[in-house]
Amino acid sequence: MGHSQVVSSPQEKTWRAGRFWWDCPEPTDAGAFPLRAVIFDLDALSDLDVDGHRVVFNAAFAAHGLPLEWSVARYRQLLALHDERQRVAAELRKRCVGPECDVLTEVLADEICATKDMMFDEMILDAGLAPRPGLLDLVMDAFAAEVPVGVVSSGRRRWVEPLVRQLVGEGLVETVVTGDDVTSSRHGAAHQHALAELGVSAHEALGVAGSSAGLRAANAAGLASVLVGADMGAALPAVAVRPDYTGTDDALRLATCRRLHASWWAQHSPTAA
């Protein structure tokens, strides 16, 4: 995987201009805004929605005797609905006909979601989740440079912590903040908890989000943030929007993260964090 940070063609530079805040004519000195930590949300490590939640929902449909299985394409469509119950209800309504449809849909949607929640903790560690392409290179870069890495999730520690180890290995993540650690429902609370545990301020860390919801949470905590993954249409301020961590000339390695972070704060006062 290449380390070069040079945009190789005018066409590539034009494409990035629409997606990157840091694409300015002059380079920014990363030393002026040092990067002291990287905080991922769990969705940034792996495609948890498609390869995790979708798989468990299909098992829940089968448990209820429903001849229903979400494909990757269909599930990505349903992700436009931000609530799991809404996704299930929308699918059931699409297949339900008759005067009692609405009542049956509401009741069955609740039952399916309850079944899925019970099955999730047992199934997720055996779902065969894989790290997003290029993720491990970035984590290893950070570890070698002694830049601590944190991971945040709204899930339960009993499965989040082993899943993080499964995806990135032992000893590479400094702190894992889960739903068990955060009592506040305030957006960004998990990221703020991670910042406190890592001993850095918001403008010293880069957030890496795997969904628009994760990006909103990182932004609410005051982090400059990269959005990685399939959720490419989020109309939210991001340092960069990328399909994954790889790239011929611009792989998301630590050097790139430092430059993105510095360029963001060169244009946005750190006092706003």
Side-chain angles (χ1 to χ4, degrees):
M1 190 172 298
H3 290 261
S4 172
Q5 306 301 322
V6 179
V7 176
S8 59
S9 71
Q11 290 81 4
E12 289 177 339
K13 188 175 180 67
T14 299
W15 182 85
R16 290 188 182 92
R19 294 188 179 272
F20 292 87
W21 290 85
W22 55 267
D23 195 6
C24 31
E26 297 298 328
T28 301
D29 178 14
F33 301 95
L35 177 62
R36 303 195 190 281
V38 180
I39 300 177
F40 298 85
D41 65 32
L42 190 59
D43 290 312
L45 302 187
S46 183
D47 196 339
L48 196 63
D49 272 324
V50 167
D51 298 329
H53 292 284
R54 179 185 66 89
V55 171
V56 181
F57 263 120
N58 285 341
F61 294 143
H64 283 268
L66 296 174
L68 172 59
E69 185 171 314
W70 277 336
S71 66
V72 171
R74 175 58 176 160
Y75 194 73
R76 289 202 189 283
Q77 287 180 330
L78 289 167
L79 287 176
L81 301 172
H82 297 299
D83 180 79
E84 287 188 339
R85 188 183 175 286
Q86 289 179 343
R87 294 170 201 157
V88 174
E91 189 67 51
L92 294 175
R93 282 195 195 92
K94 181 181 177 183
R95 297 164 183 267
C96 183
V97 178
E100 297 181 348
C101 179
D102 286 342
V103 174
L104 292 173
T105 292
E106 296 301 317
V107 173
L108 187 53
D110 286 338
E111 292 176 354
I112 291 170
C113 287
T115 300
K116 182 262 184 181
D117 288 343
M118 288 189 294
M119 300 175 76
F120 188 83
D121 288 8
E122 300 298 325
M123 292 185 62
I124 193 59
L125 294 176
D126 297 321
L129 290 169
R132 292 185 186 274
L135 167 71
L136 298 182
D137 291 324
L138 173 54
V139 174
M140 289 300 298
D141 278 357
F143 183 76
E146 298 184 347
V147 174
V149 166
V151 176
V152 300
S153 171
S154 60
R156 304 300 298 271
R157 179 168 293 277
R158 63 174 176 260
W159 64 264
V160 170
E161 204 163 50
L163 182 58
V164 170
R165 290 196 298 269
Q166 180 178 307
L167 291 169
V168 301
E170 294 276 358
L172 299 178
V173 175
E174 184 77 16
T175 186
V176 176
V177 177
T178 72
D180 295 333
D181 305 310
V182 180
T183 56
S184 172
S185 60
R186 184 167 39 86
H187 225 40
H191 286 80
Q192 290 175 337
H193 191 103
L195 289 169
E197 292 207 347
L198 295 170
V200 298
S201 60
H203 72 271
E204 294 175 319
L206 181 72
V208 186
S211 67
S212 57
L215 180 60
R216 282 192 294 272
N219 287 350
L223 276 69
S225 305
V226 177
L227 178 62
V228 176
D231 191 359
M232 303 291 285
L236 294 164
V239 175
V241 180
R242 313 173 51 102
D244 55 38
Y245 298 88
T246 63
T248 303
D249 297 313
D250 67 335
L252 191 61
R253 304 291 294 268
L254 186 63
T256 308
C257 288
R258 282 176 164 149
R259 182 160 53 86
L260 293 172
H261 175 265
S263 295
W264 172 271
W265 286 117
Q267 300 173 57
H268 302 75
S269 170
T271 57

